[in-house]
């Protein structure tokens, strides 16, 4: 059957069917891509998931048409103007290039799978995946040869590889090994930036200088030390900035390294043939649009098409694209950054005893105030973070007229925020103060700081948390607070970072939070979606509890609404808190393409867990999460429609 279907004269509808499952990860180069596409296509054809994919494709086509119409209106004079704009901008951006730092990106190989094999050596050499029939978290390199990959439903993986062994996830185990790796990273850069459990960025400039040793030698040494400490292998990229280091770490995976020298020529040569999709921050949608409309496939082509990019995109997006074309990325050292926020939080056994909750709040306010006084800080935005008994994360924020630092002031405003949530059963309360008073040593929350120079120097700005994280490194589950606008360039030490940039097409739907009197309740992963460079002053308001209720109780109506009503922005219910003003969200034409992503985010109610099946998927895996959520969406709709209460699309374990 397979042979006859691949005969050249037959129609091959699957060839144009691209999902994240059909993208190759490391170790999948020799895979028969068409076979994977066909299996995924056949197993999802006719399903709601499939329809959803088609709808997304249609939206991309629509976006391309929209671009085409706008491009058609550009006169020769316009184009010559934009060519000048692009040329000037390219020069300006190039002048910000910093080749003085050596960055190392380390990424563990087949991390969860490797950890599982360590505890059960009989798995060695056999194709195996960590996860379940509905979703797999990762696959070892043996399984990848069959096209099996992370974020793929297990039943499709089994179809691709009938002998595939499934091992359930054990997050504790992965955290344990992650901590061991971080101890090694710390020896090379105490300010290393953890990007996920298995990934980190290290500035090795100093250690190279001190030991008169090359980046390549450090990479060799670090890899063997990680192996000694954990029994696991990792791959490393070394480059003048983080964006390139990440690309480099994937080149010789598994158990390999790639070093890009610190000179402009080497960078430009490297970038000249680099497919755009290799860049963290360019996902499927952006790739399709850049390829489909502009014919841009490699990073260098961004520069060649600079005039069109400048004419048709916002400044921030075109700057992002041009910087990719120049191979620019974040280079700043964490210790050079300024604190943008300070926070304190406490986890406890879930309780709904209001008196107890207020007591905990008072303790936290006390701790926070003491920390602020030690550092001479005062701030005027106070954010309350709550984790409910069912692990939903909510945040509430208020921006005040005056700067505060005393425990009494903090407690007074925090109590107001908490009061609006009662009754509630909580297992965590956190408080964060930002918008510091510059006279008192803080950094002004000056929006003009978000110049491109700052943006590029801070690199992964769009994915930063404003959290105060004091532990050794941190992971995504440490991301707690929603950030206000300025936290897009939040600059704390030991922070978690993700990609260098977020996909401009995938971050528009949640735009800036109005920094005056805004109230937001967006969970941690949503926080990452805030577009620090968006021109919209949209307050994105999502009540995650409300979302959960809607997605679980009445999925059909509400999920369909969000999918179909593309300009909808989730609103939080009215409440009586007088501090909550100015909540009207605005929508712009741009948002119409993004509500599917918005839907995706709503399903991730905790830092990394899917609210529907509990699958663990770190928030840095933006696209995989989206696919996973879409899958659930389709499953739910299918169940509702069939009235069977069980999905024929997704077999359950
Ligand atoms: P990755 O580093 O992307 O993948 P990996 O370490 O398994 O394989 P490699 O780096 O060699 O390509 O992700 C790290 C871990 O994060 C992975 O082992 C499991 C988890 N993860 C998920 O849970 N879901 C996902 O969709 C992805 C991509 C990763
Ligand atoms: Mg990895």
């Amino acid at each position: 059957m397979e042979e006859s279907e691949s005969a050249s004269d037959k129609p091959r509808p699957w060839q144009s069917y691209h999902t994240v499952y059909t993208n190759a990860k490391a170790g999948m180069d020799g895979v028969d891509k068409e076979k994977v596409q066909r299996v995924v296509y056949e197993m999802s054809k006719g399903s709601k998931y499939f329809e959803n994919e088609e709808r997304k494709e249609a939206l991309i086509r629509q976006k391309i048409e929209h671009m085409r119409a706008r491009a058609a209106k550009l006169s020769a004079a316009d184009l010559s103007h934009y060519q000048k704009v692009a040329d000037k901008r390219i020069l300006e951006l190039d002048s910000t290039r910093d080749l003085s730092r050596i960055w190392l990106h380390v990424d563990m190989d087949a991390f969860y799978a490797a950890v599982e094999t360590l505890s059960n050596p009989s798995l060695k050499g056999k194709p195996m995946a960590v996860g379940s029939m509905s979703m797999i978290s990762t696959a070892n390199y043996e399984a990848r040869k069959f096209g099996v990959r992370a974020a793929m439903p297990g039943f499709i993986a089994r179809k691709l590889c009938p002998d595939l062994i499934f091992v359930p996830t054990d997050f504790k185990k992965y955290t344990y090994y992650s901590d061991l790796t971080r101890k090694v990273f710390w020896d090379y850069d105490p300010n290393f930036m953890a990007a996920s459990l298995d990934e980190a960025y290290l500035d090795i400039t100093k250690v190279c200088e001190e030991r008169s040793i090359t980046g390549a030698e450090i990479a060799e040494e670090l890899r063997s030390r990680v192996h000694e400490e954990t029994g696991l292998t990792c791959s490393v990229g070394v480059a003048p900035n983080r964006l390139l280091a990440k690309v480099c770490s994937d080149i010789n995976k598994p158990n390999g390294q790639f070093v890009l020298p610190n000179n402009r020529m080497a960078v430009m040569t490297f970038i000249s043939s680099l497919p755009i999709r290799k860049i963290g921050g360019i996902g499927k949608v952006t790739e399709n649009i850049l390829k489909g409309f502009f014919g841009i496939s490699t990073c260098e082509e961004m520069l060649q098409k600079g005039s069109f990019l400048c004419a048709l995109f916002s400044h921030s997006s075109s700057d992002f694209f041009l910087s990719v074309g120049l191979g620019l990325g974040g280079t700043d050292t964490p210790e050079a950054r300024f604190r943008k926020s300070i926070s304190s939080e406490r986890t406890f056994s879930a309780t709904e005893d209001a008196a107890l909750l207020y007591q905990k709040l008072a303790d936290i306010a006390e701790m926070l105030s003491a920390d602020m006084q030690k550092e001479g800080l005062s701030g005027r935005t106070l954010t309350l973070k709550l984790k409910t008994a069912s692990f939903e994360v909510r945040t509430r924020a208020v921006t005040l007229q005056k700067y505060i630092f005393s425990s009494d002031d903090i407690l007074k405003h925090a109590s107001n925020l908490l009061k609006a949530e009662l009754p509630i059963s909580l297992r965590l309360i956190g408080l964060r103060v930002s918008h510091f008073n510059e006279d008192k040593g803080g950094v002004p929350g000056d929006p003009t700081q978000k110049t491109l120079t700052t943006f590029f120097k801070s690199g992964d700005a769009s994915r930063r948390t404003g959290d105060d994280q004091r532990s050794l490194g941190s992971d995504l589950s440490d991301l707690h607070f929603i950030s206000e606008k300025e936290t897009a360039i939040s600059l704390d030490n030991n922070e978690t970072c993700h990609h260098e940039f977020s996909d401009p097409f995938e971050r528009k739907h949640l735009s800036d939070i109005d920094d005056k009197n805004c109230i937001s309740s967006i969970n941690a992963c949503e926080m990452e979606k805030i577009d620090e460079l968006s021109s919209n002053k949209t307050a994105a308001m999502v009540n995650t509890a409300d979302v959960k209720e809607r997605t679980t109780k009445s999925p059909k109506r509400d999920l369909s609404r969000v999918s179909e009503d593309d300009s909808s922005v989730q609103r939080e219910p009215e409440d009586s808190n007088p501090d909550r003003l100015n909540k009207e969200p605005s929508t712009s034409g741009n948002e119409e393409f993004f509500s599917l992503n918005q839907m995706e985010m709503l399903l991730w109610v905790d830092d990394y867990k899917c609210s529907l099946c509990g699958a663990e998927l770190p928030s840095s895996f933006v696209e995989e999460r989206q696919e996973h959520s879409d899958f659930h969406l389709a499953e739910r709709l299918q169940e509702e429609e069939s009235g069977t209460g069980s999905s024929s699309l997704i077999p359950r374990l």
Side-chain angles (χ1 to χ4, degrees):
M1 179 183 147
E2 287 180 13
E3 286 68 27
S4 65
E5 274 183 6
S6 59
S8 57
D9 52 343
K10 298 250 169 155
R12 299 177 187 184
W14 55 85
Q15 281 187 322
S16 57
Y17 188 59
H18 301 284
T19 72
V20 72
Y21 314 132
T22 54
N23 289 337
K25 275 180 79 74
M28 294 175 72
D29 285 345
V31 170
D32 179 349
K33 195 172 174 212
E34 186 171 345
K35 181 180 172 195
V36 177
Q37 265 178 311
R38 193 175 69 237
V39 169
V40 175
Y41 175 83
E42 282 168 356
M43 294 195 75
S44 55
K45 190 172 53 182
S47 68
K48 288 288 172 191
Y49 171 79
F50 185 85
E51 280 173 24
N52 203 30
E53 284 296 302
E54 289 193 318
R55 194 160 38 214
K56 286 197 290 188
E57 292 288 333
L59 288 172
I60 294 172
R61 282 197 297 274
Q62 200 181 324
K63 178 87 184 166
I64 291 175
E65 281 316 309
H66 182 63
M67 288 257 165
R68 195 158 281 150
R70 287 177 56 210
K73 289 189 190 141
L74 292 172
S75 65
D78 289 335
L79 278 176
S80 129
H81 165 76
Y82 282 113
Q83 186 61 58
K84 283 188 196 125
V85 170
D87 291 345
K88 182 164 174 269
R89 200 66 195 122
I90 289 169
L91 283 178
E92 283 168 2
L93 290 170
D94 209 358
S95 72
T96 69
R97 188 187 300 274
D98 178 2
L99 290 166
S100 68
R101 315 299 308 174
I102 307 174
W103 277 94
L104 181 150
H105 178 253
V106 51
D107 188 319
M108 303 302 293
D109 301 322
F111 185 49
Y112 293 6
V115 169
E116 294 302 340
T117 308
L118 214 53
S119 21
N120 177 4
S122 76
L123 294 168
K124 215 170 180 174
K126 297 176 188 156
M128 64 87 84
V130 176
S132 69
M133 273 299 171
S134 52
M135 151 85 170
I136 61 178
S137 295
T138 196
N140 65 7
Y141 280 73
E142 285 79 2
R144 292 184 198 193
K145 290 181 194 146
F146 295 84
V148 174
R149 56 153 288 162
M152 180 179 268
F155 68 94
I156 291 182
R158 178 161 280 171
K159 176 88 178 171
L160 290 168
C161 175
D163 294 332
L164 189 67
I165 300 167
F166 285 86
V167 177
T169 46
D170 182 347
F171 212 66
K172 271 210 182 92
K173 227 193 278 182
Y174 315 139
T175 310
Y176 170 78
Y177 281 97
S178 176
D179 285 345
L180 293 182
T181 65
R182 289 174 183 190
K183 281 184 185 128
V184 176
F185 304 159
W186 196 85
D187 285 344
Y188 295 88
D189 176 9
N191 295 310
F192 73 88
M193 300 156 80
S196 70
L197 278 187
D198 89 323
E199 236 184 296
Y201 294 89
L202 285 66
D203 181 351
I204 54 168
T205 318
K206 203 164 151 206
V207 71
C208 285
E209 274 166 17
E210 281 171 2
R211 295 174 53 192
S212 300
I213 189 171
T214 64
E217 287 165 321
I218 293 286
E220 289 279 1
E221 187 184 296
L222 179 138
R223 284 172 45 227
S224 70
R225 280 207 49 208
V226 166
H227 189 252
E228 272 164 32
E229 296 296 327
T230 63
L232 302 167
T233 64
C234 62
S235 299
V236 161
V238 177
N241 63 53
R242 289 190 293 273
L243 180 135
L244 294 175
K246 181 167 168 72
V247 176
C248 291
S249 68
D250 206 48
I251 291 177
N252 286 321
K253 249 186 180 301
N255 200 13
Q257 61 184 58
F258 183 88
V259 179
L260 182 61
N262 280 39
N263 72 67
R264 188 179 181 281
M265 179 72 91
V267 170
M268 293 310 287
T269 306
F270 181 74
I271 219 79
S272 67
S273 56
L274 190 69
I276 51 175
R277 189 58 187 275
K278 296 277 179 193
I279 299 293
I282 297 193
K284 188 170 80 172
V285 176
T286 304
E287 185 193 30
N288 281 347
I289 291 171
L290 290 178
K291 268 192 187 164
F293 180 64
F294 297 93
I296 296 174
S297 299
T298 66
C299 296
E300 192 185 41
E301 286 163 356
M302 301 271 199
L303 301 184
Q304 291 153 14
K305 299 285 164 79
S307 57
F308 283 98
L309 296 174
C310 289
L312 298 173
F313 289 97
S314 67
H315 286 303
S316 56
S317 294
S318 58
D319 270 344
F320 166 63
F321 294 139
L322 295 179
S323 76
V324 165
L326 289 165
L328 300 177
T331 58
D332 63 326
T333 50
E335 61 266 287
R337 300 181 193 142
F338 299 99
R339 181 190 286 286
K340 299 293 286 184
S341 67
I342 185 163
S343 63
S344 186
E345 67 175 43
R346 198 179 253 194
T347 305
F348 41 86
S349 312
T351 175
E352 56 186 333
D353 181 334
L356 209 55
L357 292 176
Y358 277 118
Q359 184 50 53
K360 302 223 178 273
L361 193 67
D363 293 345
I364 297 162
E366 191 77 47
M367 286 189 306
L368 183 59
S369 170
D371 284 352
M372 289 179 73
Q373 287 177 53
K374 262 186 238 152
E375 301 199 24
L377 296 169
S378 65
R380 65 188 188 93
T381 295
L382 177 70
T383 306
L384 170 72
K385 177 196 171 191
L386 305 173
K387 190 179 276 188
T388 68
S390 53
F391 293 93
E392 291 149 20
V393 178
R394 301 180 191 182
T395 56
R396 296 281 185 252
V398 60
T399 297
L400 308 161
Q401 294 299 321
K402 64 169 196 166
Y403 292 93
I404 58 168
F405 65 89
S406 73
S407 56
D408 285 351
D409 279 344
I410 294 173
L411 184 60
K412 183 174 91 187
H413 295 289
S415 299
N416 281 342
L417 295 176
L418 178 62
K419 194 169 148 198
E421 302 302 314
L422 296 176
I424 190 168
S425 178
L426 297 175
R427 57 174 70 245
L428 177 148
I429 298 179
L431 286 173
R432 168 175 168 248
V433 173
S434 56
H435 261 139
F436 293 140
N437 180 355
E438 59 180 311
D439 297 337
K440 297 216 177 163
V443 175
D446 176 4
T448 60
Q449 283 191 346
K450 285 178 290 178
T451 59
L452 280 155
T453 309
T454 313
F455 180 63
F456 290 121
K457 288 207 163 140
S458 60
D460 32 34
S462 61
R463 297 311 196 94
R464 286 220 171 101
T465 86
D467 251 358
D468 180 32
Q469 293 172 10
R470 291 166 189 164
S471 57
L472 175 62
S474 52
D475 63 54
L476 295 174
S477 59
D478 290 329
L479 302 186
H480 296 310
F481 285 103
I482 175 178
S483 55
E484 289 77 26
K485 257 197 317 195
E486 92 283 12
T487 56
I489 50 168
S490 181
L491 304 171
D492 291 346
N493 285 350
N494 274 341
E495 67 202 335
T496 299
C497 68
H498 308 278
H499 302 300
E500 292 287 317
F501 302 97
S502 59
D503 188 327
F505 287 103
E506 311 210 0
R507 59 196 163 110
K508 279 277 187 279
H509 56 284
L510 279 180
S511 44
D512 292 352
I513 303 290
D514 185 358
D515 54 358
K516 283 200 183 71
N517 302 310
C518 81
I519 169 66
S520 319
S521 59
I522 304 178
N523 70 12
C525 50
E526 289 152 7
M527 173 199 71
E528 296 167 19
K529 295 278 184 173
I530 293 166
D531 177 7
E532 81 290 354
L533 295 165
S534 164
S535 54
N536 294 333
K537 293 278 184 282
T538 304
M541 288 160 283
V542 181
N543 183 315
T544 51
D546 184 40
V547 167
K548 173 143 191 172
E549 197 175 316
R550 278 187 275 113
T551 52
T552 52
K553 282 191 185 156
S554 180
K556 185 176 175 186
R557 192 188 69 241
D558 292 297
L559 298 185
S560 308
R561 183 182 66 74
V562 175
S563 297
E564 283 154 20
D565 178 5
D566 288 322
S567 61
S568 68
V569 172
Q570 298 297 315
R571 303 278 305 277
E572 69 163 14
E574 290 303 311
D575 68 56
S576 55
N577 189 329
D579 285 326
R580 300 174 185 196
L581 303 172
N582 195 16
K583 287 184 280 190
E584 197 59 42
S586 68
T587 57
S588 76
N590 282 344
E591 283 159 11
E592 66 190 353
F593 293 102
F594 307 116
S595 61
L596 288 169
N597 295 344
Q598 191 171 350
M599 186 61 240
E600 183 273 331
M601 289 186 297
L602 305 185
L603 291 172
W604 300 91
V605 294
D606 205 352
D607 294 343
Y608 61 91
K609 272 200 167 140
C610 169
S611 63
L612 296 180
C613 72
E616 289 157 350
L617 193 46
S619 49
S620 56
F621 300 107
V622 177
E623 194 160 292
E624 285 84 357
R625 281 168 73 126
Q626 187 181 330
E627 294 288 338
H628 179 79
S629 308
D630 284 351
F631 212 76
H632 277 314
L633 166 61
E635 181 188 40
R636 290 278 158 160
L637 292 170
Q638 188 131 322
E639 281 175 9
E640 288 265 324
E641 275 171 16
S642 68
T644 59
S646 70
S647 164
S648 55
L649 172 62
I650 305 179
R652 295 182 188 286
L653 275 181

